[in-house]
Amino acid sequence: MTTQRSSPSFAPPMSSEQRKAFPFSEFEPKWQDVWEAKKAFRTPNPGDADFDASKPKYFVLDMFPYPSGAGLHVGHPEGYTATDIIGRFKKMSGFNVLHPMGWDAFGLPAEQYAIKTGQHPRATTEKNIEGFRGQLKRLGFAYDWDREVNTTDPGYFKWTQWIFLKLYNSYVNEEGKARPITELEGKGLSREEIDSRRLAFVSSAPVNWCQELGTVLANEEVVDGKSEVGGFPVERRPMRQWMLRITSFAQRLIDELDGLDWPESIKLLQRNWIGRSEGAHVMFQIVGHESDVTVFTTRPDTLFGATYMVFAPEHALVDQITTPEHAAAVEAYRKVVGSKSDLERTELAKEKSGVFTGAFAINPVNGEQIPIWIADYVLMGYGTGAIMAVPGHDARDFEFSQKFELPVKQVVQPPEGKEWQGFTDNGTAINSGFLDGLTTPEAKAKIAAWLEEKGLGKGTTNFKLRDWLFSRQRYWGEPFPIVWEDGNHRSIPESELPLLPPTLEDFRPTGTPEPPLSKATDWVRYSDTAKRELNTMPQWAGSCWYYLRYCDAQNSERFVSEEAEKYWMGGGKPGGVDLYVGGTEHAVLHLLYARFWHKVLFDLGYVSTPEPFQRLVNQGLIMGEDGQKMSKSRGNVVNPDDVVKEYGADSLRLYEMFMGPLEQVKPWSMKGVEGVYRFLARVWRLVMEVSEEGVWSPSPALQDVPANKQVTKALHETIKKCGEDIEKLSFNTAISQMMICTKTFTAEEVMPVSAIVTFLKVLSPFAPHIADDLNAHIATQFPALAVEGLLSDATWPKYDPAALIEDEVEIVFQVNGKLRDKTRVPLQATKEEIEKIALASARVQEFMEGKTPKKIIVVPGKLVNIVV
RNA sequence: GCCGCUGUGGUGAAAUGGUAAACACAGCAGACUUAAAAUCUGCUGGGAGGUAACUCCCUUGCCGGUUCGAGUCCGGCCAGCGGCACCA
């Protein structure tokens, strides 16, 4: 804020209200109260008395926030304002608009905040939600607060647990569709066989354990070997954990991205994360052993070039095949690898390491005996945990072969002029027997057929995606609706939902893999013989389906009524939500998990579309004024509350939309806020004037007269451009058009009331408080011309194309593509007439230098280009 | 290393293949004011020539191509940002 300069004593000290260019701090809270009291943005559901079935639906969704103790930051209102403008615009354009808000309140951040402040997470969560709700209301967002959801509310997580039971009680059939597990029962399958096919299953594979957080984490939550939350080290440990079988949906999660209006970059991120690769399984005999080993390769065409094999150190066969003289070295190597954390393992990845097992395998294609090594560059979790090494045509194998002096063989001829060693692209097969002379794709097909015929392998597809580790050793999450008895798990009846967590005084992590719920001994005991599952669900569980709950947030009988789901999520597109706006940080987390759950619910017949979100837009990060990421330690954090206090909610909303394209990363500028604030003040003064005493009243310039030509034209251009720009989410250019329009209005001595009211309708989605307030002031003088009631209930104005047309247009004359002259011609001028005028121009003739034109291009209404 | 996105004034940016820099910020000058703040008006990419009005040349990261015409389309390179990263 501008500092108070030393002013001479006779100037009366200005109150902060008088210093403001318009009294936003009076009218903004006033209108927020009016909207709330009137439930101005309540959206009726099908079946409600005031529901209008003739209107189309529009479901516009924000990524709901974690109510952290820090409150909103300026990044939140960016996406929220964008959806608010769209929602208000669609409502004015005759849609039934669903625009809700809620709280993603379970999970690590909420629990850590509670531990830090020494309070119960329930209490801190409620307080934080209170704070967030208040902040959002002060920004004037048009939410239907009757649909507010809170993932930690038992009425909500009852259904999160219910969906978990659907996952637990389903499997994926031969067609890749989720089906009830009851279909498998009665087929004579054992309990173990059935359990091994559930979509929610228990696994003892190595998982990501984070000691500092006292919990395991999903692969998606581990970044560079550290926890995404807090950045603590993560190690691999075998633990018994709940997993969700997302891998069964890998192909569909790739394929069904195609029909979605998502940024290509996000689709790509998901495709890469799922990581499909096509190749083949090849079986190798081990010399002197019964057992054989299968490898996965994307280059079966290079089989003749396989000169050794490598197993992951953890591979189950290693113990069997290692010869006595190599046992000590192998054991020592495995120990070293096992003690390394993921972080160390990747840090040390530069240098290849490994040891020879003493065993040999037989290359099925030429009978050669090739040595079997173990090395940590082969991962147990991908493919089969064993590879055939083709050092001639794979960078990693080549590096390994150089370090351990293993033979390198050429089997692919690269195109002219390229070195064959380390050549990994497509070429022609050589030194490869029956493959010689074939291109790489041909050779791949032929060897795959050959392997299949001999029973030695076949074409296969592999995915990088792993199953989703779904349990956490934390207190603040949904308890699993599962009990254990005699070493077996089973679901509790749906009638026992919601399963509430126990009330615990001490809910901190135990520091061991033993979950904190183990401390609640009474709660743990389900019956004399059965105990409850002690793990809780991860943060993502609640956010996997919250958009569905919004459709019918109060329903206590069902997670969402069929009718509400069909109406809001239906519409003939693959995805149900019409527009979803949020940050890019959830590209492979929430956005992948939610798609997975949605597909399961779709297969089971609970939802109408295969995809949840039709159109996705990522808002760009807002940086500090210094161009750096906002952070407390840099001291460049902007608090939205301060901006609202100083310039008002409308200014904050407008500035965040005016900064630049929504999807772009852009730096904050307080000066920029002042710019839009000045614009709003100019709009205010179009309607209002201030007395000597500082009292505002409607300006006498306001008159019930028809708008002249300039005003009409400016107004209709603004209606047109703003409408089009809102659809495109180009809010910055819409606002600049309103600024231009305001400038035209300001130049007029008399302000036609009808024009200003129409302008306020266009402004209202962007700056709803000032628009409603000015409309109300106009209504005191011109009740017949102002909008009755709220602008959000008004109809978006239609522009008149006739008002946009000018009598004359400016035509540019170019000679050889260079601008030489311009003139105004009547709109109706024909091509021939325009050409004639151009050729007659003295400037044009000067630059033609008397030459005859080779070609003349005439673009009516635009330009003439004369080529000489 | 691989994949993707982005490069336009002092700054945020705008531009259906058709006048590059709209709108805004900052800056400068002026009006109002005893003065300041606020407000209003004008100027503001670079270079050259002219007392001047004005005129010419150059300019969208770099190089090339397509086109009557390229910030925009195509190819190559460079830089910044983001993602993945021993995935066989």
Side-chain angles (χ1 to χ4, degrees):
Chain A
M1 184 57 204
T2 47
T3 47
Q4 289 241 324
R5 308 269 155 84
S6 53
S7 51
S9 52
F10 57 82
M14 277 190 165
S15 78
S16 90
E17 260 339 289
Q18 284 168 317
R19 219 171 48 231
K20 281 168 184 157
F22 57 103
F24 61 83
S25 46
E26 284 163 23
F27 67 69
E28 287 187 350
K30 184 182 114 191
W31 288 101
Q32 286 157 14
D33 290 346
V34 170
W35 299 334
E36 183 160 3
K38 281 193 168 184
K39 294 209 174 196
F41 304 105
R42 194 186 78 85
T43 302
N45 253 12
D48 287 351
D50 51 344
F51 177 75
D52 182 351
S54 69
K55 291 180 173 180
K57 68 100 183 181
Y58 196 83
F59 187 173
V60 53
L61 181 69
D62 296 291
M63 290 187 184
F64 66 165
Y66 312 115
S68 73
L72 284 187
H73 56 78
V74 290
H76 288 116
E78 188 189 17
Y80 297 168
T81 305
T83 54
D84 199 55
I85 293 169
I86 294 270
R88 286 171 178 268
F89 170 72
K90 287 286 180 183
K91 180 175 157 76
M92 293 174 80
S93 306
F95 286 76
N96 285 326
V97 172
L98 179 54
H99 184 215
M101 184 42 75
W103 321 107
D104 185 16
F106 268 137
L108 282 176
E111 183 174 328
Q112 285 185 303
Y113 180 75
I115 292 172
K116 207 168 73 191
T117 58
Q119 302 167 68
H120 194 276
R122 165 91 43 213
T124 58
T125 298
E126 259 159 38
K127 213 175 91 205
N128 293 348
I129 287 174
E130 201 74 16
F132 264 66
R133 196 190 292 117
Q135 282 184 301
L136 291 180
K137 285 192 177 172
R138 285 195 290 282
L139 292 173
F141 293 129
Y143 300 128
D144 178 355
W145 286 105
D146 288 353
R147 294 172 185 263
E148 181 179 347
V149 303
N150 172 354
T151 56
T152 67
D153 179 351
Y156 181 91
F157 70 68
K158 170 181 180 177
W159 301 107
T160 311
Q161 291 169 329
W162 178 84
I163 296 172
F164 175 83
L165 288 183
K166 294 294 146 205
L167 289 155
Y168 179 79
N169 287 315
S170 300
Y171 77 108
V172 169
N173 70 8
E174 295 67 33
E175 286 142 38
K177 297 264 192 290
R179 301 297 310 157
I181 199 93
T182 46
E183 289 183 0
L184 288 182
E185 292 164 1
K187 282 193 178 172
L189 294 176
S190 69
R191 182 192 185 109
E192 284 70 31
E193 284 168 320
I194 289 177
D195 281 351
S196 74
R197 297 194 57 183
R198 293 179 188 274
L199 290 184
F201 63 100
V202 173
S203 155
S204 296
V207 294
N208 306 302
W209 167 257
C210 180
Q211 180 64 42
E212 204 76 26
L213 295 173
T215 185
V216 296
L217 297 168
N219 290 328
E220 289 81 1
E221 293 171 301
V222 180
V223 180
D224 294 332
K226 293 182 190 160
S227 63
E228 199 194 18
V229 174
F232 303 117
V234 171
E235 57 184 299
R236 307 281 299 176
R237 265 201 201 187
M239 286 170 67
R240 202 210 67 204
Q241 295 295 320
W242 284 95
M243 312 283 288
L244 296 187
R245 206 177 298 283
I246 191 171
T247 51
S248 294
F249 291 79
Q251 191 61 53
R252 277 167 73 190
L253 287 168
I254 290 179
D255 292 344
E256 292 169 18
L257 282 171
D258 289 346
L260 302 180
D261 309 327
W262 286 24
E264 271 314 308
S265 58
I266 296 289
K267 289 190 183 181
L268 212 72
L269 240 41
Q270 290 212 349
R271 287 197 191 99
N272 289 344
W273 185 263
I274 297 166
R276 179 193 155 96
S277 60
E278 278 179 56
H281 277 150
V282 184
M283 204 191 284
F284 286 70
Q285 282 300 318
I286 297 172
V287 177
H289 283 266
E290 298 258 314
S291 39
D292 45 45
V293 63
T294 300
V295 302
F296 174 73
T297 175
T298 56
R299 291 298 298 272
D301 60 299
T302 62
L303 186 50
F304 282 88
T307 54
Y308 63 100
M309 290 185 83
V310 187
F311 287 15
E314 307 90 340
H315 197 282
L317 275 179
V318 173
D319 282 333
Q320 289 180 41
I321 62 167
T322 302
T323 56
E325 58 268 35
H326 290 93
V330 165
E331 203 37 54
Y333 183 71
R334 294 175 90 179
K335 216 165 172 182
V336 170
V337 170
S339 69
K340 283 183 200 166
S341 69
D342 268 16
L343 184 58
E344 289 169 318
R345 206 158 148 171
T346 40
E347 265 175 1
L348 300 169
K350 310 271 181 292
E351 182 82 352
K352 289 276 180 291
S353 68
V355 292
F356 179 42
T357 62
F360 288 85
I362 297 164
N363 188 334
V365 86
N366 56 15
E368 277 177 24
Q369 294 202 0
I370 56 175
I372 301 175
W373 288 62
I374 61 169
D376 66 357
Y377 83 90
V378 174
L379 309 171
M380 195 58 228
Y382 184 76
T384 63
I387 63 155
M388 63 179 215
V390 184
H393 304 288
D394 181 277
R396 297 148 304 188
D397 296 346
F398 181 72
E399 198 189 319
F400 193 81
S401 74
Q402 293 308 289
K403 177 149 181 191
F404 295 104
E405 297 178 344
L406 291 157
V408 183
K409 211 169 130 185
Q410 181 186 11
V411 290
V412 179
Q413 182 63 45
E416 202 80 20
K418 290 224 170 135
E419 174 62 33
W420 70 266
Q421 281 216 0
F423 178 78
T424 56
D425 288 340
N426 285 359
T428 311
I430 59 164
N431 305 327
S432 294
F434 59 90
L435 299 177
D436 281 354
L438 297 178
T439 65
T440 300
E442 290 166 351
K444 278 181 180 173
K446 187 155 185 185
I447 188 76
W450 184 87
L451 287 167
E452 190 142 10
E453 191 193 311
K454 304 265 174 191
L456 294 169
K458 62 179 204 170
T460 320
T461 303
N462 239 314
F463 296 93
K464 282 193 224 173
L465 185 69
R466 312 292 159 83
D467 279 326
W468 176 12
L469 174 58
F470 194 68
S471 42
R472 299 289 182 275
Q473 292 70 49
R474 304 296 295 203
Y475 171 66
W476 195 232
E478 302 88 346
F480 282 81
I482 294 286
V483 293
W484 290 80
E485 189 161 14
D486 302 328
N488 291 316
H489 48 76
R490 67 163 197 268
S491 59
I492 63 171
E494 284 181 16
S495 58
E496 291 179 22
L497 301 181
L499 169 60
L500 304 177
T503 322
L504 273 183
E505 283 297 306
D506 177 16
F507 46 82
R508 285 170 305 163
T510 59
T512 69
E514 181 80 352
L517 291 189
S518 61
K519 298 174 192 170
T521 40
D522 287 349
W523 182 87
V524 171
R525 185 181 172 281
Y526 181 72
S527 71
D528 287 345
T529 48
K531 284 183 161 189
R532 290 193 191 279
E533 167 67 41
L534 299 178
N535 285 299
T536 53
M537 298 185 201
Q539 163 137 51
W540 312 106
S543 61
C544 269
W545 73 283
Y546 74 111
Y547 55 94
L548 293 169
R549 188 64 179 169
Y550 282 140
C551 298
D552 195 12
Q554 320 272 4
N555 196 327
S556 56
E557 302 303 312
R558 211 168 181 275
F559 74 117
V560 52
S561 80
E562 270 183 80
E563 197 183 16
E565 191 282 330
K566 252 193 197 103
Y567 181 72
W568 292 114
M569 293 296 291
K573 297 239 171 102
V577 172
D578 295 277
L579 176 64
Y580 195 18
V581 175
T584 188
E585 67 274 15
H586 295 301
V588 293
L589 293 158
H590 160 64
L591 286 172
L592 195 62
Y593 298 151
R595 293 182 62 220
F596 161 48
W597 278 35
H598 198 86
K599 286 182 190 308
V600 174
L601 292 172
F602 175 69
D603 288 354
L604 297 176
Y606 290 107
V607 296
S608 343
T609 59
E611 285 285 333
F613 316 120
Q614 181 59 34
R615 183 181 179 200
L616 175 76
V617 171
N618 291 120
Q619 86 246 30
L621 213 59
I622 296 180
M623 312 298 268
E625 296 232 23
D626 53 2
Q628 304 282 101
K629 219 172 179 166
M630 282 194 192
S631 75
K632 264 190 212 148
S633 57
R634 285 202 189 88
N636 59 355
V637 176
V638 178
N639 183 341
D641 288 347
D642 297 343
V643 181
V644 170
K645 204 166 152 218
E646 209 62 59
Y647 301 100
D650 284 338
S651 292
L652 176 66
R653 293 170 58 113
L654 211 56
Y655 171 64
E656 295 216 7
M657 295 300 99
F658 187 59
M659 290 174 88
L662 183 63
E663 298 182 71
Q664 198 163 299
V665 178
K666 42 210 177 281
W668 185 267
S669 157
M670 257 335 164
K671 288 285 184 191
V673 182
E674 280 180 38
V676 295
Y677 173 72
R678 279 200 280 266
F679 160 67
L680 288 178
R682 276 195 291 272
V683 173
W684 178 260
R685 291 195 306 266
L686 283 177
V687 177
M688 305 295 283
E689 66 166 22
V690 70
S691 70
E692 302 258 324
E693 296 78 40
V695 177
W696 290 99
S697 55
S699 159
L702 277 180
Q703 287 176 32
D704 180 9
V705 294
N708 66 23
K709 207 162 174 188
Q710 300 96 277
V711 167
T712 308
K713 183 163 175 271
L715 180 65
H716 285 261
E717 274 172 349
T718 304
I719 298 168
K720 179 171 191 279
K721 181 144 181 69
C722 290
E724 289 168 357
D725 284 356
I726 291 172
E727 296 273 7
K728 286 191 293 184
L729 309 188
S730 298
F731 304 112
N732 54 334
T733 49
I735 294 165
S736 82
Q737 178 60 39
M738 288 190 280
M739 288 171 168
I740 293 168
C741 185
T742 304
K743 220 163 223 180
T744 308
F745 282 16
T746 309
E748 299 294 317
E749 292 191 356
V750 172
M751 196 61 248
V753 177
S754 61
I756 195 80
V757 170
T758 303
F759 177 79
L760 292 177
K761 288 183 194 168
V762 176
L763 178 66
S764 68
F766 297 84
H769 308 87
I770 194 172
D772 261 341
D773 200 55
L774 288 177
N775 178 63
H777 281 294
I778 292 170
T780 62
Q781 308 277 308
F782 304 94
L785 297 175
V787 169
E788 201 186 327
L790 300 174
L791 286 169
S792 53
D793 292 322
T795 303
W796 183 263
K798 278 201 170 54
Y799 69 89
D800 174 9
L804 305 178
I805 293 168
E806 296 197 67
D807 303 336
E808 287 190 325
V809 280
E810 190 177 64
I811 299 282
V812 169
F813 300 152
Q814 297 179 333
V815 179
N816 289 335
K818 284 204 162 138
L819 172 70
R820 294 305 178 188
D821 201 3
K822 48 190 164 186
T823 191
R824 299 186 69 81
V825 302
L827 186 72
Q828 303 84 351
T830 63
K831 272 192 170 192
E832 289 70 28
E833 284 164 349
I834 296 169
E835 186 178 320
K836 222 165 157 187
I837 300 166
L839 286 169
S841 151
R843 301 243 330 127
V844 167
Q845 284 180 4
E846 186 188 322
F847 282 91
M848 284 171 65
E849 295 166 340
K851 292 174 203 153
T852 25
K854 277 190 215 147
K855 198 169 179 182
I856 301 177
I857 290 108
V858 182
V859 184
K862 286 273 185 203
L863 57 73
V864 179
N865 189 12
I866 299 160
V867 186
V868 296

